[in-house]
Amino acid sequence: MIDFSKDFPLLQTTDEMGRRLAYLDNAATTQKPFAVLDAEADYYKNKNANPHRGAYDLSMKATQVLESVREKTKRWLHVPEDGEVIFTKNATESLNLVAYSYAMNAVSAGDEIVLAVSEHHSNLVPWQNVAKAKGAVLTYLYLNEEGRVTKEEAQQKITTKTKLVAIAQVSNVTGYVNPVEDIIEMAHKVQAVVVVDGTQGAPHLFVDLGKLEADFYAFSGHKMLAPMGIGVLYGKKKLLEQMPPFLYGGDMIEYVEEQTTTFAPVPQKFEAGTQNMGSIAGFGAAIDYIEKIGMNQIRSIEDELTAYLIEKLKGVPHLTIVGSDSLENRIGVVPFVIEGVHPHDVVTIVNKDLIAIRSGNHCAQPLHNFLKVPATCRASVYLYNSKDEIDRLAESLKGVRRWLGYGA
């Protein structure tokens, strides 16, 4: 397995004992390679100006950075038309944009909004708000015994009353890939619009938005090696053109008079104010880095590491993997609990061995309530992780109960 960790400066640092960080919290955010950090720094060193606002050379360079990364994003995701890639600050803002600009105008009293109980709060709370404001009904897709959304459940819940379906491409807690293609097909048969949260999908799966047929697709750059503060919203142009702006201000207008304003065409209509240009430059470099490695190789690395992680976790006494330990249709995210130990204590103890994993409800409280588990630990791998790091995690976990005074 190729060691990509050499490309990541933070992963090369050591503590006073000579240990390197075993970073296994990639579902929360990923580390950044030199190429991304250099691109961000280069923007501020050599191209820093306000895009779209100046006729001088430096401003035009900034505009070129912005629009070239937009075009790169369009190509990478196989976006069908120009004007369908909108830059936001993260997936949360992207999903809120859809909720306020589309759903608040399209959803009426008595309409149903269908979403999975496993959704991240960012793809759940906005729809609660829409339902409350418009008198709509939230209908949940519940999970089977493995903790997965099934096509059968979707067929039962998506009806002629359904106006909108919100579904994650991949669960941020279980790592399970949802049957989004089938759900989109079902929804479109009843003229419902589908919002896909691609936050855990875009970094790990080959995404072709021309074939997926999602009406909206949102994700954050920081979960795919890019800096924080840059997100993407894809929307079908025919929908975006009908939607009012989400934010109002500079760079999203055509003409402003004392009493009236006309707005710029998409995507600028949804990009009010100055963009996070350094992060956009870094996002473009992240796409280049991922494409250079190739998604097939990334998937191969992740699949091998995920299988090894599950095998090692199953060998830890008193540890239970939450959901299924199946490798089918999942990415490298594995939730677990240790008998008699709160997940926060587990994470604190393994942190002493310079190992970073996650604990809590992972912004998915309804899922944890459904599973009857208050909180879980979560280990998640990416292309720069190694089997040695997983070995370290497993050994550290074996000592957790002893730390707390259990005999074993």
Side-chain angles (χ1 to χ4, degrees):
M1 189 179 295
I2 300 173
D3 180 15
F4 288 107
S5 69
K6 66 183 184 303
D7 295 336
F8 295 79
L10 191 147
L11 299 179
Q12 300 305 306
T13 59
T14 57
D15 66 3
E16 63 278 1
M17 298 172 59
R19 300 177 302 179
R20 282 170 51 177
L21 171 68
Y23 183 79
L24 296 166
D25 190 23
N26 295 286
T29 195
T30 53
Q31 298 305 324
K32 319 306 175 192
F34 284 106
V36 167
L37 299 172
D38 290 346
E40 186 174 20
D42 176 70
Y43 175 80
Y44 286 118
K45 288 177 180 178
N46 300 306
K47 301 164 187 171
N48 182 44
N50 218 318
H52 292 163
R53 286 172 167 85
Y56 55 92
D57 288 347
L58 199 58
S59 179
M60 288 188 282
K61 283 183 180 180
T63 301
Q64 171 62 24
V65 170
L66 176 63
E67 297 306 331
S68 66
V69 175
R70 193 192 308 277
E71 184 62 29
K72 187 178 295 183
T73 305
K74 178 191 173 191
R75 174 180 50 77
W76 179 56
L77 295 173
H78 303 272
V79 171
E81 290 190 55
D82 291 337
E84 295 184 325
V85 174
I86 297 164
F87 289 128
T88 63
K89 69 174 182 287
N90 48 39
T92 299
E93 183 177 285
S94 296
L95 294 165
N96 274 270
L97 191 163
V98 178
Y100 280 97
S101 292
Y102 174 77
M104 284 293 192
N105 295 286
V107 173
S108 303
D111 289 341
E112 293 186 358
I113 299 172
V114 175
L115 64 161
V117 75
S118 53
E119 294 305 308
H120 189 283
H121 296 162
S122 294
N123 200 33
L124 191 154
V125 178
W127 312 119
Q128 286 183 338
N129 189 46
V130 170
K132 182 178 180 180
K134 306 301 291 187
V137 178
L138 292 180
T139 299
Y140 282 93
L141 304 176
Y142 294 111
L143 313 179
N144 67 6
E145 63 280 359
E146 289 190 346
R148 296 179 184 268
V149 175
T150 66
K151 290 185 286 186
E152 292 74 21
E153 175 73 355
Q155 285 173 334
Q156 182 180 350
K157 297 293 178 66
I158 296 173
T159 71
T160 54
K161 293 182 179 180
T162 304
K163 191 71 172 184
L164 184 145
V165 178
I167 186 75
Q169 191 172 24
V170 182
S171 168
N172 73 300
V173 176
T174 64
Y176 298 154
V177 180
N178 290 324
V180 290
E181 293 89 349
D182 297 300
I183 289 172
I184 290 169
E185 183 178 357
M186 294 175 206
H188 285 173
K189 284 181 179 178
V190 296
Q191 286 76 54
V193 163
V194 183
V195 183
V196 176
D197 177 0
T199 306
Q200 300 294 338
H204 307 281
L205 306 175
F206 179 82
V207 178
D208 186 334
L209 291 176
K211 294 181 179 179
L212 187 63
E213 282 295 322
D215 299 290
F216 297 98
Y217 186 93
F219 66 98
S220 295
H222 73 92
K223 295 182 189 290
M224 50 159 284
L225 310 179
M228 294 181 179
I230 178 64
V232 171
L233 173 65
Y234 157 80
K236 288 184 177 177
K237 197 169 186 178
K238 64 180 181 181
L239 295 175
L240 294 174
E241 289 177 337
Q242 297 167 9
M243 292 159 50
F246 176 45
L247 299 172
Y248 297 82
D251 208 36
M252 50 76 66
I253 52 88
E254 183 182 36
Y255 295 106
V256 177
E257 298 182 358
E258 288 189 8
Q259 302 297 329
T260 60
T261 298
T262 56
F263 304 112
V266 293
Q268 279 77 23
K269 181 171 72 170
F270 297 105
E271 294 181 349
T274 300
Q275 297 299 302
N276 188 346
M277 289 300 302
S279 291
I280 288 173
F283 176 62
I287 294 175
D288 291 340
Y289 184 88
I290 288 171
E291 288 190 320
K292 183 177 179 180
I293 296 172
M295 193 55 73
N296 287 337
Q297 184 168 203
I298 291 172
R299 287 295 300 151
S300 177
I301 292 168
E302 281 195 53
D303 289 346
E304 185 174 348
L305 289 174
T306 304
Y308 193 74
L309 173 61
I310 289 173
E311 176 189 347
K312 286 296 183 177
L313 290 179
K314 289 167 70 174
V316 176
H318 305 285
L319 185 149
T320 301
I321 293 175
V322 175
S324 170
D325 60 9
S326 169
L327 295 170
E328 184 180 2
N329 289 329
R330 80 181 304 157
I331 64 168
V333 177
V334 184
F336 62 91
V337 293
I338 293 181
E339 181 185 353
V341 186
H342 193 283
H344 292 337
D345 292 329
V346 174
V347 170
T348 300
I349 291 168
V350 302
N351 180 62
K352 295 180 183 295
D353 292 325
L354 213 62
I355 300 165
I357 60 172
R358 199 75 163 184
S359 63
N361 58 53
H362 317 298
C363 295
Q365 284 182 290
L367 172 59
H368 282 78
N369 292 338
F370 177 82
L371 296 173
K372 296 180 172 58
V373 181
T376 55
C377 302
R378 183 186 69 185
S380 50
V381 298
Y382 204 31
L383 59 94
Y384 43 65
N385 290 123
S386 67
K387 291 181 178 179
D388 175 68
E389 292 172 332
I390 293 171
D391 288 339
R392 286 173 55 195
L393 171 64
E395 287 305 308
S396 186
L397 290 171
K398 289 175 183 178
V400 163
R401 283 171 56 91
R402 287 194 298 272
W403 265 91
L404 297 176
Y406 290 97

